[in-house]
């Protein structure tokens, strides 16, 4: 069975995406809150442990004394543009710490880490169309 270190969890959902037996479930109150639940599993497939980017999961021998379900919830950080929550703070912190700083900004110098993927796409499309218009004026 797996042991969860909730303090290390980023709330990224990778483990719930990969678990073939639905022992790891998640729930999201759109734009507000994200919850992950790890049910006690008797499998030893190890896939979730391998795929957890934060090394928050460990395979340990099965025990009757551990809780049936462990649950962790995260408030979502709002996007700087649309203000809707889109990512957990531990996940954003991890990106800030691991992605080289020169890759955390777009061509205008704006940090993309605090912008949700939807707004990022919109801004990039807007920028690209401005560049096309400018190049045609030359
Ligand atoms: S060990 Fe395997 S079955 Fe158990 S929770 Fe992880 S991925 Fe799911
Ligand atoms: S993969 Fe790891 S960091 Fe991501 S939600 Fe699962 S336990 Fe947390």
């Amino acid at each position: 069975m797996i042991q969860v270190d909730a303090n290390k969890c980023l709330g990224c959902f990778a483990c719930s995406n990969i678990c073939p037996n639905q022992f790891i479930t998640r729930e999201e109150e759109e734009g507000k809150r994200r919850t992950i639940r790890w049910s006690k599993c008797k499998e030893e497939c190890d896939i979730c442990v391998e795929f957890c980017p934060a090394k928050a999961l460990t395979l340990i021998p099965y025990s009757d004394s551990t809780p049936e379900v462990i649950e962790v919830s995260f408030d979502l950080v709002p996007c700087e543009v649309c203000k809707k929550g889109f990512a957990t703070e531990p996940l954003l912190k991890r990106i800030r710490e691991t992605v080289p700083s020169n890759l955390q900004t777009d061509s205008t110098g704006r940090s993309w880490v605090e912008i949700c993927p939807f707004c990022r796409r919109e801004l990039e499309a807007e920028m690209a169309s401005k560049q096309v218009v400018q190049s045609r004026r030359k």
Side-chain angles (χ1 to χ4, degrees), residues 2 15 18-24 39 41 43-49 59:
I2 50 166
C15 55
I18 205 81
C19 175
N21 296 313
Q22 298 182 336
F23 281 114
I24 309 172
S39 298
C41 103
E43 307 290 331
E44 294 195 350
C45 73
D46 205 12
I47 304 179
C48 58
V49 176
L59 207 58

Side-chain angles (χ1 to χ4, degrees), residues 9-15 36 38 52-54 56-57:
C9 178
L10 306 173
C12 70
F13 285 167
C15 55
I36 304 161
W38 297 268
C52 173
L57 304 174

Side-chain angles (χ1 to χ4, degrees), residues 1-2 10 12 18 23 28 30 41 43 78 81 85 90 94 97 110 112 134 138:
M1 59 179 254
I2 50 166
L10 306 173
C12 70
I18 205 81
F23 281 114
E28 189 159 305
E30 208 186 321
C41 103
E43 307 290 331
V81 178
R94 171 89 169 205
E97 286 171 354
R110 189 204 302 246
W112 57 259
Q134 276 168 359
K138 285 176 188 168

